[in-house]
Amino acid sequence: MRCLATRPAGSCLPEPQGSGQHTTMELGPLEGGYLELLNSNADPLQLYHLYDRMDLAGEEEIELCSEPDTDTINCEQFSRLLCDMEGDEETREAYANIAELDQYVFQDSQLEGLSKDIFIEHIGLEEMISESVEVLEEAGQKSQKRPFPEELPVDLKHRKLAPPSSSLLSCLSLPAAPIQIIPTLSTLPQGLWQISGAGTGVSSILIYQGEVPQASQTPPSSSPAVYSLPKSPDRPGSTSPFAPSAADLPSMPEPALTSRANLTVDEMSPTQCPAAHKASSKLPKWPESVEQFYCSLRNKYQAKPAGPEGILVEVDLVRVRLERSGGKSQDRELTTLDWAEQQPARGGLGEVLLASSNHRRPRETQVIAVLGKAGQGKSHWVQAVSWAWACGQLPQYDFIFCIPCHCLDRPGDTYRLQDLLFSLGSQPLSGDDEVFSYILRRPDRILLILDAFEELEAQDGFLHSAGGPMSAEFRSLRGLLASLFQRKLLRGCTLLLTARPRGRLAQSLSKADALFEVAGFSAQQAETYVMRYFECSGATEHQKRALALLQSQPFLLSHSHSPTVCRAVCQLSEALLELGDEAQLPSTLTGLYVGLLGPGARDSPPGALVGLARLAWELGRGHQSSLREGQFPSAEVRAWAVAQGLVQPTPGAPETELAFSSFLLQCFLGAVWLALSSEIKDKELPQYLALTPRKKRPYDNWLEGVPRFLVGLVFQPRARCLGALAGLAASTSADRKQKVLTRYLKRLQPGTLKAGRLLELLHCAHEALDAGLWQHVLQGLPAHLSFLGTRLTPPDTHVLGSALEAAGRDFSLDLRSTGVDPSGLGSLVGLSCVTHFRAALSDTVQLWESLQQHGEAKLLRAVKEKFTIEPFKAESMKDVEDLGNLVQIQRTRSSSEDTPGELPAIRDLKKLEFALGPILGPQAFPKLVKILEAFSSLQHLDLDSLSENKIGDEGVAQLSATFPQLKALETLNLSQNNITDLGACKLAEALPLLAASLLRLSLYNNCICDVGAESLAHVLPDMVSLRVLDVQYNKFTAAGAQQLTASLRKCPHVEKLAMWTPTIPFGVQEHLQQLDSRIILR
């Protein structure tokens, strides 16, 4: 079929000749459809300017083609053609190329959505037909007002391929005769019917039965006139039919997230349920089945679980960065950012879901990963996302599908895309073919959530496995997910993953468009959760008492940053407060879970707890947490575990499948099995502590909470621990295991362990509540503890502080790149046993400001005295800025009468390295030069970098001006800085100012020629303290070398002159070396 374009009056389009062929301009023939236009040789820019010169203000003249071979098809052929087009991937791709051409060539901030209407008219005719049934009944009436750009269809590529409405064809009752679809006519000839595009207000579509009237025939004058296309009422713009509207531009924010922030839930919803008020006529109408499916999905996510399960406390998300694991490996791990570097997602859900929109190509799948440790609230955050969508807060999505990944881990099963969307999520839904067809046409309006992504095996293979674009094919889970991650299936959707990172990230996570991490509860959020828990439980009278119990145990309070632990504390507090006023929480995690499980274990069927513990351990070894009905020792054990809340139904899984209520509970039960089982050999027990992993077949420690619980169960008093769970008789077997672990732990040397394993050892010793073991660990702590690059959580900070305070010795700490929060940093550095500490400059300054605001002057002075930055290496612009802020604090402090003097951190700095590279180096060096004079004790200034700083001659001149203040400088390294003769001469003029202190000067690998060498030779005798001069790999010739050699004879104090350079013949260099043996070659 052929789409005939209008020819406005006064345009420069050629007139048709008698033969029916158009004359050819430099643009080539313009007849035919858009597919022909795309494949033609027409220059898009010339075509754009050609259309832009058209004057559409007057009446349009429509010229019908008089060719006898005009393409005609009947209704049946028309429907079959549309179906073929929808199933033909090449045709779909061609339309996609048209849209990309439109966006690439004609992106203009002044383009109006008007031209988009024309684009829809010529490409999406069939879709407009399906939307025009109501207007057909009012053929003689005036068309509706043109909608706003944000109300137009978003995805033109898929809208144009929708099949025509069957109701329209039955309404027309046309016989199987040829029909033609023709754009707007100024007047209607006899036999032509007008169908106005509903809501467009632009042009109409005419359907003619039989032969097309010739252009020369004059239609009746009584036919309704069709007016010309109006220009934008806001501002003049291009009228090209190829110009995109503002809604088409890829970088524009979602209107729903920007302009509808103050709307109610119903107003923000993309459509309304029948119970809601009548939807606006401006919104696109959905088929009835799609509307029903939307309402059922919305009701599903609006329903909140009863009781504490329904408590939703908003947790913060922070952006994270990745770094390589080291060496030549391509594996990537999370970077541990300092507290001040962490960037919270201030915009809430909107910012997270639009995080990578600026880098997203049109119609590309967007992958967002939300990471966090077990129990940090990832699944609750997903629940909050679903609830927010159901309440209308995410109107950029028509549908949200939340799928727990443990429902997918079933080897041997095959799936289709509709199975993944409709059948595998929690509470499977019924979606027919019409709903699924709508989803396929609008993938950009779909949010697909895969929760607990770490439970899927072989995650790395999803980016490389074979996957196809066909949605109706049955395939394995691996193939289905591979098609999603490779952007072959449901292309254009938003894919949201939640996962628990352990070491290196899977490629499917590391290559996500945006990465976030769940920060866990703050102290205030933990208190809010406790209050809401007792409010939901109907025990509001216990709220304050429960908070007091939690605050009386600082260790559990530090662990309450984990929502899972916070809920466990609330459950135990509720049980204790019901018993009486003498309630007290335990001081360890082991005691917390013993208190929760003890009462239920005493009333359990015989062997129930041990059997469930064995299941937890065996499933954990297989990286699983779901239990099937046949895995329980008996039906009684299953019923008991469900009644005690130890296991619960799995969302989206069969009713017979259960899962442990929390990952931490599974870890505790696994440790119970290790402590009570006679099947575990004693010599194998130490490997499960994961403190000294074996090289061959190491234990992977997937149940990462097992080591602490195991030590706590084995070492704590029997009556209060294992005896309360399994009875004193069964717990006697743990005595032998305690001896084995004691020998192992006391053989360890804490000073040889890496930072992460040292923290794990401290946690194990704390859980043991054994004084001998605790003292052994404290005695082995080194005086200098470096946690550089190791994450310090609130529990880590508490245990470390307790250990340092109990050790009775002085320590120095390196807390850089630990992510420690300000309160944790203050608690550590405020200890009297900590004499020196290093931390990020920005975090330390923030701590100082906090202490000053709270009036803690004594602690502030102590912290300033302890802080050190020796040695300091600037590797980023932020490092230079932070150093400048520190100097500014000192200058402010010096101007104050009550606190005179220098900051110890600045006063004691002796070594400063600058390594920003060739791009940032020249930009940051002037900022460094301005503050260099503050470091009066500086002895080593290293401006060399493996990637070359390139400060140049200008940087050398700026540096030379600071020499009068650098009286203690002994080493100056200016290697690889692109210094020429000009910079060398400037340096030589200022070097005598350092004559009394400078011992080593390096100008290696610069661009110094003979003039610069001569100036250095001239000043060399004056440098009475200089011992080493390195001028290798420069560009001076034999003349410059001879000047340096002659000057060297006058400098008996110089010990070495490194002077090899490729511009000097080797024979000359050997001769010079023979003259003076202090000359070093190579």
Side-chain angles (χ1 to χ4, degrees):
M1 97 188 197
R2 181 170 297 169
C3 193
L4 306 178
T6 62
R7 186 185 70 84
S11 72
C12 57
L13 291 176
E15 296 285 338
Q17 305 299 319
S19 60
Q21 302 294 331
H22 292 279
T23 58
T24 304
M25 299 177 60
E26 67 276 11
L27 296 175
L30 294 177
E31 65 173 359
Y34 280 87
L35 287 177
E36 297 179 35
L37 176 62
L38 180 64
N39 296 323
S40 69
N41 296 326
D43 185 357
L45 282 175
Q46 296 183 15
L47 187 63
Y48 172 73
H49 291 302
L50 173 65
Y51 273 87
D52 206 33
R53 291 195 300 267
M54 295 180 181
D55 184 11
L56 299 182
E59 292 286 335
E60 293 187 358
E61 295 182 7
I62 309 301
E63 187 144 338
L64 298 177
C65 181
S66 59
E67 302 165 344
D69 58 342
T70 302
D71 296 336
T72 58
I73 56 175
N74 56 30
C75 294
E76 182 179 356
Q77 294 170 335
F78 183 56
S79 302
R80 190 182 305 115
L81 175 61
L82 292 178
C83 295
D84 293 341
M85 290 169 61
E86 183 173 7
D88 186 5
E89 185 64 26
E90 293 183 1
T91 304
R92 292 166 62 92
E93 196 64 32
Y95 277 106
N97 293 336
I98 294 175
E100 291 178 358
L101 175 67
D102 172 43
Q103 290 186 351
Y104 177 75
V105 177
F106 305 115
Q107 283 189 6
D108 188 351
S109 60
Q110 295 184 354
L111 299 179
E112 182 57 37
L114 172 64
S115 55
K116 178 178 178 180
D117 299 337
I118 312 175
F119 194 73
I120 295 175
E121 178 186 5
H122 289 288
I123 294 185
L125 297 177
E126 54 275 76
E127 180 68 13
M128 295 178 65
I129 292 176
S130 65
E131 297 177 356
S132 305
V133 179
E134 298 179 0
V135 187
L136 181 62
E137 300 174 356
E138 304 172 0
Q141 298 181 5
K142 192 175 181 179
S143 61
Q144 297 180 4
K145 181 177 69 174
R146 175 177 174 270
F148 293 102
E150 60 266 22
E151 298 166 4
L152 293 175
V154 178
D155 193 341
L156 303 179
K157 170 183 173 183
H158 297 284
R159 287 187 62 84
K160 64 180 180 297
L161 296 178
S165 173
S166 58
S167 60
L168 171 63
L169 299 180
S170 60
C171 177
L172 293 178
S173 301
L174 293 178
I179 65 172
Q180 295 192 42
I181 298 179
I182 310 173
T184 310
L185 297 176
S186 57
T187 55
L188 297 179
Q190 185 175 3
L192 287 177
W193 297 344
Q194 177 181 5
I195 300 179
S196 300
T200 61
V202 184
S203 298
S204 302
I205 302 175
L206 305 178
I207 299 182
Y208 182 75
Q209 180 184 5
E211 298 296 330
V212 181
Q214 300 299 321
S216 59
Q217 298 176 357
T218 304
S221 59
S222 61
S223 300
V226 182
Y227 296 99
S228 60
L229 302 180
K231 292 186 179 180
S232 171
D234 300 331
R235 44 180 163 71
S238 171
T239 56
S240 166
F242 298 96
S245 68
D248 290 330
L249 298 179
S251 298
M252 295 295 289
E254 290 285 348
L257 291 181
T258 56
S259 60
R260 303 185 182 183
N262 297 324
L263 298 183
T264 62
V265 171
D266 291 334
E267 289 171 332
M268 296 179 67
S269 302
T271 186
Q272 312 297 334
C273 294
H277 60 79
K278 186 177 180 180
S280 172
S281 60
K282 295 182 180 180
L283 295 176
K285 294 183 178 179
W286 286 353
E288 183 178 356
S289 60
V290 178
E291 184 83 17
Q292 293 177 353
F293 180 80
Y294 167 79
C295 291
S296 63
L297 193 64
R298 179 178 175 180
N299 294 334
K300 165 189 169 183
Y301 290 132
Q302 273 184 332
K304 286 186 178 181
E309 289 289 343
I311 301 177
L312 293 179
V313 177
E314 183 181 0
V315 293
D316 297 329
L317 296 182
V318 295
R319 292 177 178 268
V320 294
R321 297 198 302 262
L322 299 179
E323 62 181 359
R324 289 188 178 180
S325 301
K328 298 181 180 180
S329 175
Q330 297 298 320
D331 296 337
R332 309 181 77 185
E333 297 179 351
L334 291 180
T335 303
T336 304
L337 300 176
D338 293 319
W339 183 263
E341 289 184 299
Q342 297 178 9
Q343 302 176 10
R346 299 294 184 188
L349 300 179
E351 179 181 343
V352 173
L353 296 176
L354 294 176
S356 59
S357 58
N358 293 336
H359 308 285
R360 182 183 184 183
R361 294 190 298 172
R363 296 184 306 280
E364 278 296 330
T365 300
Q366 182 183 13
V367 181
I368 302 174
V370 176
L371 309 176
K373 289 187 175 182
Q376 291 293 92
K378 301 183 297 297
S379 297
H380 277 74
W381 184 82
V382 167
Q383 183 181 351
V385 172
S386 305
W387 182 81
W389 171 81
C391 294
Q393 298 176 18
L394 299 173
Q396 70 268 34
Y397 298 111
D398 289 344
F399 301 108
I400 283 184
F401 300 96
C402 181
I403 303 170
C405 286
H406 56 74
C407 301
L408 306 178
D409 196 11
R410 299 189 177 97
D413 292 351
T414 56
Y415 307 91
R416 297 176 300 169
L417 179 59
Q418 48 264 55
D419 298 331
L420 181 68
L421 300 180
F422 302 148
S423 304
L424 296 179
S426 57
Q427 303 177 10
L429 300 167
S430 58
D432 56 14
D433 293 339
E434 188 173 16
V435 175
F436 186 62
S437 177
Y438 177 86
I439 293 174
L440 292 180
R441 291 198 304 270
R442 303 297 300 274
D444 60 302
R445 306 280 299 173
I446 304 301
L447 174 61
L448 178 59
I449 305 175
L450 298 179
D451 189 23
F453 188 70
E454 74 279 353
E455 296 195 14
L456 297 179
E457 295 291 341
Q459 303 169 27
D460 287 339
F462 293 150
L463 295 180
H464 308 291
S465 301
M470 300 304 294
S471 59
E473 294 180 357
F474 282 94
R475 66 191 79 188
S476 65
L477 172 66
R478 184 187 183 94
L480 184 62
L481 294 181
S483 300
L484 286 172
F485 281 101
Q486 296 171 18
R487 278 79 168 173
K488 296 180 181 178
L489 194 62
L490 211 61
R491 182 176 179 181
C493 71
T494 300
L495 192 59
L496 179 60
L497 312 174
T498 66
R500 172 161 53 99
R502 296 188 69 250
R504 70 176 185 88
L505 289 182
Q507 291 187 8
S508 49
L509 293 175
S510 62
K511 294 185 179 296
D513 300 304
L515 279 169
F516 292 88
E517 187 175 17
V518 180
F521 280 169
S522 64
Q524 183 179 1
Q525 289 170 335
E527 293 180 3
T528 302
Y529 183 89
V530 173
M531 300 294 286
R532 291 187 182 178
Y533 178 90
F534 284 93
E535 182 179 345
C536 293
S537 301
T540 54
E541 67 277 5
H542 293 327
Q543 287 179 332
K544 294 182 179 180
R545 179 65 176 143
L547 280 178
L549 286 178
L550 179 58
Q551 293 170 355
S552 66
Q553 291 294 345
F555 179 73
L556 289 184
L557 182 61
S558 68
H559 266 289
S560 294
H561 86 290
S562 168
T564 297
V565 178
C566 193
R567 182 185 176 190
V569 170
C570 291
Q571 291 173 334
L572 184 58
S573 299
E574 184 180 17
L576 293 176
L577 290 174
E578 290 178 355
L579 297 177
D581 296 334
E582 301 299 328
Q584 185 177 4
L585 288 173
S587 59
T588 63
L589 279 181
T590 305
L592 174 66
Y593 277 88
V594 169
L596 285 174
L597 272 66
R602 288 192 290 268
D603 301 331
S604 65
L609 181 64
V610 176
L612 189 63
R614 179 173 186 168
L615 276 178
W617 173 252
E618 292 177 349
L619 290 173
R621 294 301 301 270
H623 298 184
Q624 296 178 355
S625 59
S626 300
L627 303 93
R628 295 178 176 85
E629 186 174 14
Q631 293 178 308
F632 286 92
S634 65
E636 292 182 352
V637 174
R638 185 181 188 276
W640 169 79
V642 172
Q644 294 296 322
L646 304 180
V647 294
Q648 57 189 13
T650 303
E655 296 181 358
T656 58
E657 186 170 323
L658 302 173
F660 292 100
S661 58
S662 70
F663 177 76
L664 204 58
L665 175 63
Q666 185 180 1
C667 292
F668 177 77
L669 290 174
V672 170
W673 168 251
L674 292 179
L676 296 177
S677 173
S678 59
E679 299 178 14
I680 305 297
K681 297 180 180 180
D682 295 342
K683 64 179 182 180
E684 295 179 355
L685 204 60
Q687 69 169 320
Y688 300 127
L689 298 185
L691 295 175
T692 54
R694 300 180 301 181
K695 293 183 179 179
K696 293 183 178 180
R697 300 178 61 186
Y699 170 60
D700 63 354
N701 197 29
W702 190 79
L703 294 173
E704 56 190 10
V706 164
R708 305 177 190 182
F709 284 130
L710 176 60
V711 174
L713 290 170
V714 170
F715 280 89
Q716 287 190 20
R718 297 285 178 268
R720 296 184 313 181
C721 196
L722 279 179
L725 294 174
L728 292 177
S731 63
T732 56
S733 61
D735 295 337
R736 187 177 64 256
K737 297 182 179 182
Q738 179 179 347
K739 294 179 181 179
V740 172
L741 291 182
T742 300
R743 287 196 304 268
Y744 169 74
L745 292 173
K746 289 192 174 181
R747 285 200 307 264
L748 290 177
Q749 298 179 4
T752 63
L753 297 178
K754 294 183 178 179
R757 294 195 178 112
L758 177 60
L759 288 172
E760 188 65 28
L761 177 60
L762 290 174
H763 278 286
C764 291
H766 175 81
E767 291 290 331
L769 295 181
D770 184 274
L773 180 60
W774 180 249
Q775 286 299 323
H776 168 74
V777 174
L778 297 184
Q779 291 173 5
L781 291 177
H784 176 69
L785 291 171
S786 176
F787 298 96
L788 178 65
T790 302
R791 177 70 61 87
L792 285 180
T793 62
D796 296 334
T797 303
H798 175 80
V799 171
L800 178 60
S802 301
L804 297 178
E805 194 171 14
R809 294 182 288 120
D810 291 341
F811 295 93
S812 63
L813 301 178
D814 189 349
L815 303 176
R816 292 173 295 168
S817 300
T818 58
V820 59
D821 60 306
S823 62
L825 178 62
S827 64
L828 286 177
V829 303
L831 297 174
S832 60
C833 58
V834 176
T835 57
H836 296 87
F837 77 93
R838 292 201 65 177
L841 287 175
S842 52
D843 291 353
T844 306
V845 171
Q846 184 176 352
L847 174 63
W848 291 349
E849 294 174 350
S850 175
L851 294 176
Q852 188 172 7
Q853 291 175 359
H854 290 82
E856 301 183 28
K858 183 178 179 181
L859 181 58
L860 176 60
R861 286 194 299 270
V863 171
K864 286 184 176 181
E865 290 293 330
K866 297 176 183 180
F867 179 60
T868 178
I869 58 175
E870 168 65 24
F872 187 83
K873 185 175 183 179
E875 297 181 289
S876 66
M877 189 72 76
K878 178 181 178 296
D879 293 337
V880 178
E881 293 173 353
D882 290 344
L883 193 62
N885 293 335
L886 187 64
V887 172
Q888 183 62 34
I889 291 176
Q890 174 182 277
R891 290 171 178 171
T892 305
R893 186 172 185 255
S894 299
S895 61
S896 176
E897 297 180 358
D898 54 343
T899 56
E902 292 181 311
L903 284 173
I906 295 180
R907 180 192 62 207
D908 299 335
L909 180 63
K910 293 179 172 55
K911 183 176 180 179
L912 175 60
E913 296 183 59
F914 181 82
L916 268 72
I919 298 178
L920 295 179
Q923 302 176 21
F925 188 71
K927 299 180 180 180
L928 179 66
V929 169
K930 293 180 181 179
I931 60 176
L932 269 182
E933 61 183 14
F935 304 100
S936 57
S937 301
L938 189 64
Q939 297 178 357
H940 188 137
L941 180 58
D942 189 350
L943 302 180
D944 186 13
S945 172
L946 294 178
S947 57
E948 303 184 10
N949 289 313
K950 292 187 176 180
I951 64 173
D953 298 332
E954 184 178 355
V956 172
Q958 296 171 350
L959 176 63
S960 300
T962 65
F963 285 172
Q965 286 77 33
L966 302 180
K967 298 294 186 180
L969 190 63
E970 296 179 353
T971 301
L972 178 59
N973 189 352
L974 293 172
S975 302
Q976 305 186 111
N977 275 293
N978 202 28
I979 301 173
T980 65
D981 284 342
L982 181 61
C985 293
K986 291 285 186 180
L987 178 65
E989 293 176 4
L991 277 178
L993 297 173
L994 302 176
S997 62
L998 192 63
L999 300 177
R1000 289 168 291 273
L1001 174 62
S1002 177
L1003 292 166
Y1004 172 86
N1005 195 18
N1006 280 287
C1007 304
I1008 301 175
C1009 298
D1010 290 337
V1011 176
E1014 182 179 356
S1015 63
L1016 291 174
H1018 179 73
V1019 76
L1020 194 57
D1022 299 334
M1023 306 299 296
V1024 294
S1025 62
L1026 190 66
R1027 297 295 181 265
V1028 179
L1029 175 62
D1030 188 352
V1031 289
Q1032 292 186 97
Y1033 286 94
N1034 277 276
K1035 297 184 178 181
F1036 54 83
T1037 63
Q1042 291 173 356
Q1043 293 280 351
L1044 288 170
T1045 303
S1047 179
L1048 184 61
R1049 297 173 185 172
K1050 306 174 185 178
C1051 304
H1053 52 275
V1054 176
E1055 299 175 357
K1056 183 172 68 173
L1057 174 60
M1059 198 173 59
W1060 186 91
T1061 179
T1063 54
I1064 303 176
F1066 187 71
V1068 175
Q1069 297 186 57
E1070 283 190 328
H1071 173 69
L1072 296 177
Q1073 189 180 30
Q1074 292 173 0
L1075 294 178
D1076 196 323
S1077 60
R1078 293 175 294 175
I1079 297 178
I1080 305 299
L1081 303 179
R1082 296 285 180 178

